[in-house]
Structure formats: structure tokens, C-alpha cells
Amino acid sequence: MCSLSFQAVITGAGLVSSIGRNSEECWKSITAGQSGIRELTSIEQEIQPAPIGGEAPPEPEDSSDLPREVIRLRMAMQEVLCEIGLDASSQGDVRHGIILGTTLSGMRSGGRYLRTKRTADINGFLAASTLSRLLEPYDWKGLALTTSSACSSGLASICLGVSLLEAGLLDLVLVGGYDPISEYAYSGFNSLRLISENRPKPFSANRDGLQLGESYALLALERSESAEARGANVIARISGFGETSDSFHLTQPHPDGDGAARAIQTAFNGSALKRDDIGLISAHATATPNNDASEYAALKSIFQERLAQTPLVAFKSYLGHTLGGAGAAELILTAMAMRSNRVPQTLNIKRSELEFNDIAINCDPLFESQIDHTLSISLGFGGCNSCVLLSSPEVAEVKPSPNPSRVSQNVVITGVGAVFPEAVGNDAYISQLKEGRDPVGGNICEAELNGHINTRRTRRMSMFSKLVLAATSNALRSADIQDVESFSQTCGSILGSSHGSSEYAEQYYSQVVEEGIASANPVMFAEGVPNVGTAHISLMLGLKGPAQTIIGSRTAGLDALSLAAIRIRQGEWERAIVGGADEYSRTAEQLYGHLDRGLVSRAGGVMFVLESEASALARGAGIFARIGESAFGFDSGPCAAKAQKRLISDQIDLPEPILTSMATGGECGQKRHADQAQYEVESHCVTPLGLISAALLGRIFLGETGADSDGSVPPEFAVLASDLHGSVTGLVLEVVEND
């Protein structure tokens, strides 16, 4: 249960979409009943007949080298910074962060690369590249990361931002989401038979699919007392949020809306609001047969007879489905509806066409209605569900009753699992460490995974997904969890990955480029989405808690570990499956320029079981380590490595020794003695996690000059990792010696 111990407020918003270049333009289109769905002109290949969707207006910079998403994110960024009055002198504050949500990130760059084979054309593929290009005009120094939970990513970024504010790590956080129109997304959703030739008709009896769109949405979140102290204009208060997993299917929602209903109930449980307080529901409402039916079932189970009296709007009837941008964009529009006390019309349907008679969707022009509180919901592939409750700043704040579970608690690691080439599984990995054998580059042989995963069930999965599951199964055995099903009911998951299922994504996309949209493979599309790893963890374990994936950065694994620890420490979660994985990819080698820097890639995965110390002791678990403080920063300057280390040490005390895994300054891969090999071995986001797993599993401290194999590990140490695009993360661990 998440019970907010403080009030987060929205003090600024920026929005670019098919119905406007800023949030006020977008709201004006809503009040006029003006749809942004029209013929798509920016999709990368010609499609006949020409498809329709929610495409943002063209911009002069579209002819430049800047990616489409960066151009429009900068527009949204400028709007939100202007609204909150954040000038250049205050943008370098390390306590200001940014979290973006996305479904597919920079896939358009991947298409350019497949057509030209120029390495420069793929540079925008990684989410960290998008963030770095977005932040170029600013002296940004604080946290900068990207999360993916498919189409719930936009709302999920908001939930994560609130957690970091509550933890006291940030004073201000920009949150939101984006996804550009792309042939990759269109062909994938089309292959799943989810795209309609008609305009979307949410909740209608004859609905037959969605239309894709694009939006670029950013919101500024602050603590209420901070906003009040500086006289900020408060747009809305965040009164509660909830996140869950279906644990049902990779691309289909639970037919009874189980996960969505639990997300809504979790949001209510953590707030002082009741269902009768809600004046407007902003539904996910994709207009696909299964999704709308599932969402209706979820809403009905929570609101019951009250559903027929609670106004509901489906903003996708204006925007199309904007994927990772949807939740944040629709939350901005929901806040504007609350501000004006008007219920917008849902387009393209008549009351007589509705399949569900007891849903109060407004099919007529907008009307005035008192709206003091709202509920927004987003649902995504992999069964990811997010819900956010808003309250009007004009309504007196009512704080929830204190939740005794929301007290600061120690966070411990009770399980570790590792898989690397020629070291698959904990036993083989420990042997490699103890014997001092050099790490091996390249991929992992499929046959080596036998005994660690069910190869019959995983045969169609990407290597990335297999690495995640193999490392997770080893972590669970290491944690000696006897009843996995019960353990997973209240378990969250955060995974990190630099490039995810890039091999599947490339194979899928190559076929689309070479043979056209109709050739898209639905299995490879589903397996190529960035959050597929957490989806498979949920399906394998029956995990019902929240699931997010930090993507596109070398710090993603350490970010995931740090963020999960934060949420457990402040009582949001009780336990989590956390870690990172990256598969070997020849294209990724070119993307990172490893060979030019004396590096060779290898596949790998390291996963951890995290619990509150009380939970671990209650089940008699052994404890590897306690997780201490963490800190985040961003610096992409010419002397980044030194500046990045200073950003972390200025925020938290870093005990000696410090295990460094920096992307620049010759500290990228796992260190090897100079006379042993020409190259260092790099496992991307798994490299810094490998330093931790070596210390905890093998009692071997991989320091600056190689393995110190005397069997001793310092009682406390820090891990520091950075990414080529500027992100840096630091984490402190205290080793626990078990009898």
C-alpha cells in the first residue's frame, strides 16, 4: 500500500500533440471538440491506403539533424520551465531531476540506420541520447533517467517522481512521457490487429481498434510546502497513485480487469479520497475490444453503482494513442478540465452506440460540472497498470490517516543471481571468480541456460528475456524463497537495461524496412519492447506488484537497484526483484564504439532479491548486505568523469573503497591486468552490478587493478557508475557477515 506522507503538487505543464503546440492550445481544441486525428505524413514509409492518426504539426527544425522527439520535447520543456519560472541560474541544481517515460524511445533512429548502415544514424536510438539532446541547452546537474512500462510509462514516471520527492532526494522533478509517430510502432500494432481504419470509438459496441498518435508531455512536481514558499501557481495536487501488474499475458489485458482494479484501489488506499469524491475519470480507452472491456470491468468493480454517475472522458478520441506520452498528456488535460470545471466530450460515438449502459461517458458537447478530484488510468503491454488521483488546489487538503507501515526501514539484499558467458548461474560464476579466470566477451550459449530456465516455455523469447529469467531464478534460489507465489503477491520489480532486446528489435525492424509494414512479425514486436523483461518476470513468478524498466543508459541497472531500495525504505513496497541485463549485439558494438575504445561487449544479467529487513528476518532469510544511501547526477561536459564523481560525493558520503565503473576515463569495463588481454570486457548496465555480485557471492572485491582474491570484502563500500551521455549514479552497501 502507498499512503502519501506528504502532498506533491503540479506547478507547471508543457504539452505538444496533434491538437496543439502547447497545453493551452491543446485544451482549446478539446473545448472546441476538435480532433487531431488526420492523415499521417511523417511515417517513414509510404502506406496505401494512407493511414490516419494523431500526428503533431510540422516544425521548422524537422529538416535538421535533431530527432523528431527531441524537437518537440524541447518545446514542452521550454513551456514547463517558463511556467514554473526556472531560469538558467537554477537549472544546475543537483536536487532538480527529470524522469521521462516512453514505450519505444528512439526507434526512428534505428530505421535510419537500417537504411543507410551509417553508425551516426543510430546514435539517437538510446533513451539516454534523447535525454542528453533534450538537456543540451541547459546546465542540468540532477537525476536524468528514462523509464518504460509500455503504454503506462507516462503515468509511471509521475509515480516514480512522487516517490523521489517523498524520499527527500529531490526538491523538483520534471516527469512525463513521449513517443514519436513511427513505422516501427505502426507496423507492430497493425500486426497485432489493433489498428482500425476508422476513428476510435471508445467503449462502443462496434469499436474495432485504435489510432496511433504522438504526444510530448512534461509536468513539474514539487512538495506543496516548497511551492507555497516560492509563491508558485499550483495546477493540481497529487492525492494518490497506484501501480500493479496483471501477471496474465504479454500483450492482452486481464479479462476481468484485475490488475487495473488493484491499481485504482491502491491509489484510493493511499489517499484520503473515496470513489464518491471523483468528479471525472480519464480512461485509458484505446477503443480496442479487449482493452475497453477489461477497463470497464476494472472501473465497475471499484465504482459499482457509482460508475453510472461519474463523468468519464476518453482523450484518445482527440489525440489517438500516444503510447509512452499518453498518461502524462491525458493527465495534463484532466487537470485543465478540473481547473475549468467542465467535462469534455468524447468524440466519434453516440450514447446509443455504447456497449456498457452504466458508463457515464459524455458523448455530447462539454458541459459544466463541479470537479474537485479526478482519476486517471493508463494500461500497458506486459500487464502494467498505473493510476493517479488529482485534487483541485481550491479544495481544502485532506491528508490520509497515518499508515503504520510507512516508516523508514532498512533495505537488505537476500538473494543474488548472475549469468555471464562461461559463467552461467551462481555456481559457475563463483568458480570463475575464485579461479581467477578472465571474463569472456560475446554471447551466452543457449545450451548453457538449460537448468536455469524452462527452455520449452522460453524458446520464442529474446536472449535479453532469457538472461533476465535465468538470473532471476538464481537470485530466488539464493534467497531460499520456498513459496514463490506468495512472495510475489506483494513484490515489485525494477529492471535496468542499456539496449534491451535489440537483436529481436533489429530483426523485426529489418523485415519491416525491407518488405513493408504488412510483413511485421507480432511475436518479435512484442518481444522487442523495452519492458519485456519485467513482463516475463511477472508472468514467470505471478508477480502482482509494480513493474518498471529503466532503459537506454549504462547506469540503468544501478538506477534500478537504487530506486527499488528507496521505495522499500519508505514503506511503499515490502520486497522487489531488481537488477539488470543486456544481451550481446554487434549493432550495439557499433553504437557504443567499443572497439575504438579498447572494449569488447559480453552478454550478462545480475538480479537481486530486495526486502525490508523486517520481512527478511520474519522468514529467517540470510542477508548479503544492507543498502545505504544513493545519489544521482548528470554531467556531459568534456571532463565528465571527475565532475560526475564530484556530483555524487557532494550529495552523500562515499566510504572507501569506491568501486568505479565509469563510461569515460578508462574505467568502463571490468578491470583486467594489462598483460592478460588487449581488451576490457564491458557488460553495459550489468558491469557495475557485476562488481556488487562479485563482492557478495564470491567475496571478491574487483578493485581498480583487478581481482583482490584474498576472500575478504570491506564491511562497507560504494559503487559508482556513469553513462557516456552524462548520467551518474552512486550507491553505498554494507556487507553482512552471516554465521
Side-chain angles (χ1 to χ4, degrees), residues 11 66 73 116 126 147 159 197 218 221 256 288 305 329 351 364 370 441 564 573 600 621 629 644 649 697:
T11 55
L66 275 179
L73 278 170
T116 67
L126 294 174
T147 184
C159 300
E197 295 180 356
L218 286 172
L221 304 184
D256 298 330
T288 55
E305 74 285 349
R351 187 79 204 169
D364 300 312
Q370 185 65 35
W573 299 357
V600 62
E629 292 184 291
Q644 289 167 341
S649 62
L697 283 177

Side-chain angles (χ1 to χ4, degrees), residues 102-104 147-153 250 380-385 464-465 468 493 495 497 500-501 525-538 547-551:
T102 185
T103 298
L104 295 170
T147 184
S148 180
S149 51
C151 302
S152 70
S153 301
L250 196 57
F381 278 3
C384 297
N385 312 291
F464 167 65
S465 295
V468 171
S493 177
L495 180 66
S497 184
S501 298
F525 174 68
E527 275 292 329
V529 296
N531 71 310
V532 69
T534 49
H536 281 307
I537 291 175
S538 175
Q548 292 195 31
T549 305
I550 310 303
I551 65 168

Side-chain angles (χ1 to χ4, degrees), residues 213-292:
E214 61 182 338
S215 65
Y216 308 84
L218 286 172
L219 303 95
L221 304 184
E222 304 180 57
R223 296 186 191 84
S224 59
E225 60 269 23
S226 300
E228 183 178 350
R230 69 181 189 86
N233 174 51
V234 174
I235 298 172
R237 299 198 308 267
I238 295 180
S239 295
F241 68 85
E243 299 172 277
T244 62
S245 297
D246 280 356
S247 185
F248 175 73
H249 192 273
L250 196 57
T251 59
Q252 293 293 329
H254 193 289
D256 298 330
D258 171 71
R262 285 186 287 107
I264 296 170
Q265 191 59 58
T266 300
F268 277 125
N269 290 347
S271 78
L273 302 181
K274 304 181 295 295
R275 64 179 189 179
D276 292 0
D277 296 321
I278 301 301
L280 179 66
I281 297 170
S282 174
H284 188 62
T286 60
T288 55
N290 290 345
N291 279 271
D292 281 12

Side-chain angles (χ1 to χ4, degrees), residues 433-476:
L433 292 170
K434 295 289 188 181
E435 295 168 11
R437 287 184 278 122
D438 292 338
V440 177
N443 219 331
I444 291 176
C445 176
E446 293 266 358
E448 290 186 84
L449 295 172
N450 292 336
H452 300 277
I453 55 176
N454 184 331
T455 52
R456 289 182 60 188
R457 291 186 61 183
T458 61
R459 62 188 179 87
R460 288 189 171 186
M461 292 183 189
S462 66
M463 176 56 74
F464 167 65
S465 295
K466 293 174 183 177
L467 293 172
V468 171
L469 295 183
T472 298
S473 66
N474 276 271
L476 292 172

Side-chain angles (χ1 to χ4, degrees), residues 484-499:
V484 173
E485 183 177 355
S486 296
F487 185 87
S488 300
Q489 293 301 303
T490 57
C491 188
S493 177
I494 305 184
L495 180 66
S497 184
S498 296
H499 52 261

Side-chain angles (χ1 to χ4, degrees), residues 64 118 127 156 209 263 289 293 317 328 383 394 437 448 504 512 522 542 598-599 605 615 630 657 689:
S64 71
R118 293 197 305 260
S317 64
E394 305 299 323
R437 287 184 278 122
E448 290 186 84
Y504 261 36
V512 169
L599 301 170
S615 169
S630 55
L689 300 182

Side-chain angles (χ1 to χ4, degrees), residues 550-567:
I550 310 303
I551 65 168
S553 168
R554 194 174 171 278
T555 63
L558 200 59
D559 291 337
L561 187 58
S562 302
L563 294 170
I566 289 166
R567 300 187 100 166

Side-chain angles (χ1 to χ4, degrees), residues 488-662:
S488 300
Q489 293 301 303
T490 57
C491 188
S493 177
I494 305 184
L495 180 66
S497 184
S498 296
H499 52 261
S501 298
S502 54
E503 287 287 282
Y504 261 36
E506 184 174 357
Q507 291 175 42
Y508 161 84
Y509 205 173
S510 294
Q511 190 168 0
V512 169
V513 168
E514 294 167 8
E515 301 177 29
I517 294 288
S519 68
N521 183 320
V523 173
M524 298 191 82
F525 174 68
E527 275 292 329
V529 296
N531 71 310
V532 69
T534 49
H536 281 307
I537 291 175
S538 175
L539 291 169
M540 179 181 81
L541 303 181
L543 185 147
K544 302 288 189 179
Q548 292 195 31
T549 305
I550 310 303
I551 65 168
S553 168
R554 194 174 171 278
T555 63
L558 200 59
D559 291 337
L561 187 58
S562 302
L563 294 170
I566 289 166
R567 300 187 100 166
I568 293 173
R569 181 174 294 114
Q570 58 194 36
E572 284 186 44
W573 299 357
E574 190 66 22
R575 53 184 67 93
I577 307 295
V578 189
D582 271 308
E583 63 185 29
Y584 175 77
S585 165
R586 293 185 182 276
T587 300
E589 288 276 68
Q590 298 181 55
L591 173 62
Y592 300 119
H594 279 167
L595 296 180
D596 295 336
R597 296 191 291 127
L599 301 170
V600 62
S601 290
R602 67 168 174 170
V606 173
M607 298 296 291
F608 303 93
V609 176
L610 266 59
E611 302 180 63
S612 68
E613 189 162 9
S615 169
L617 293 176
R619 68 178 187 87
I623 296 174
F624 285 94
R626 294 184 183 90
I627 296 182
E629 292 184 291
S630 55
F632 310 88
F634 181 87
D635 192 310
S636 58
C639 300
K642 290 183 179 179
Q644 289 167 341
K645 291 178 184 178
R646 191 163 53 250
L647 280 174
I648 300 301
S649 62
D650 285 348
Q651 296 179 68
I652 60 175
D653 293 329
L654 294 174
E656 294 289 347
I658 302 172
L659 281 65
T660 55
S661 181
M662 310 300 283

